[in-house]
Amino acid sequence: MSRRAAWALALSTGACAGLLTPARAADPAAPAYPQGAAPFQANCAVCHGPAGAGVPSLAPPLISYPAHYAASPEGRRQLAMTVLYGLFGDIVVDNKHYDFRMPDFARLDDATLAATLNFIVFDLGHAPASVKPVEPGEIAAERAHVVDGAAVREHRRSVVP
Ligand code: HEC
C-alpha cells in the first residue's frame, strides 16, 4: 500500500482520533459534574453500577428517585442523610424491594459528597434545570444532625415518589 493510501485508511478508520480531541469539549455526553463522576466511580459504582442502574436485589438504581428527591427540601435532606449515615432496611424502588445496608460515607468531605450527588441527580438522573444543584452547605447542615441508617429509612417514607 502506498503511504498516501495508508494515511487515507488511517483517517477513515478513526486511527487519528487524537486529532479530533478539541471537538470533545462540546460532547453532550460529557458529565455536567465531572468532579462528582470520579468519586461516584470510586465509591458508589461497585454496588450501584457505573451508570447507576443498580443491581437487582442488591443495590437500587439511582437514575430516577434521587432527581425527584432533589426537587424538594426534605428530599434534599434525604440525599445528604443517605450519603452521610447510610440506609438500612427494606425499601422499594420502582416496585422492587431492596433490603440490605448502604454504608455511610461521612469520611468524604462536603464538597465531594455534594458533587457526587449532583452527578447522580443531573448526569445520571437528568433532573430539569429548575432543580438547584446540591451545595456543600446542605451536607454540612446534616452533619450537625447525627442519625443512623434506620432513621434515614424512616425519613425516606415522607419523600418517596
Ligand atoms: C456496599 C454497597 C453500596 C455502596 C458502596 C453504595 N451504596 Fe448506595 N445503597 C446501597 C443499598 C443496599 C441501598 C439500599 C439500602 C436499603 O436496602 O435500605 C442504597 C441506597 C442508596 C440511595 C437511596 C436510594 C433511594 O431511593 O432512596 C442513594 C441515594 C445511594 N444509595 C447513593 C449512594 C452513593 C452516592 C454512594 C457512593 C458515595 C453509594 N450509594 C454507595 C448500597 C451501596
Side-chain angles (χ1 to χ4, degrees):
M1 192 187 311
S2 73
R3 285 177 71 124
R4 174 175 266 192
W7 175 237
L9 182 68
L11 272 179
S12 67
T13 56
C16 292
L19 292 173
L20 303 173
T21 305
R24 283 184 149 183
D27 183 353
Y33 290 91
Q35 47 315 22
F40 179 84
Q41 298 305 340
N43 298 290
C44 323
V46 61
C47 291
H48 292 284
V55 175
S57 73
L58 174 64
L62 300 175
I63 49 187
S64 65
Y65 283 25
H68 168 86
Y69 299 151
S72 75
E74 286 304 312
R76 298 169 76 87
R77 291 192 58 216
Q78 179 68 27
L79 287 172
M81 289 162 68
T82 303
V83 290
L84 283 172
Y85 305 116
L87 179 62
F88 178 54
D90 182 54
I91 62 166
V92 176
V93 176
D94 293 331
N95 299 314
K96 293 198 182 75
H97 284 265
Y98 298 85
D99 190 358
F100 199 54
R101 186 185 286 273
M102 153 101 178
D104 72 80
F105 287 90
R107 66 179 183 278
L108 301 181
D109 65 38
D110 296 345
T112 301
L113 288 175
T116 305
L117 288 174
N118 284 327
F119 175 74
I120 292 170
V121 167
F122 295 98
D123 287 306
L124 302 182
H126 304 291
S130 57
V131 172
K132 282 188 305 167
V134 176
E135 299 290 342
E138 294 177 77
I139 308 293
E142 292 312 315
R143 278 195 206 267
H145 303 120
V146 179
V147 293
D148 64 16
V152 175
R153 172 174 174 264
E154 201 53 39
H155 183 263
R156 185 181 181 275
R157 287 180 196 277
S158 62
V159 301
V160 279

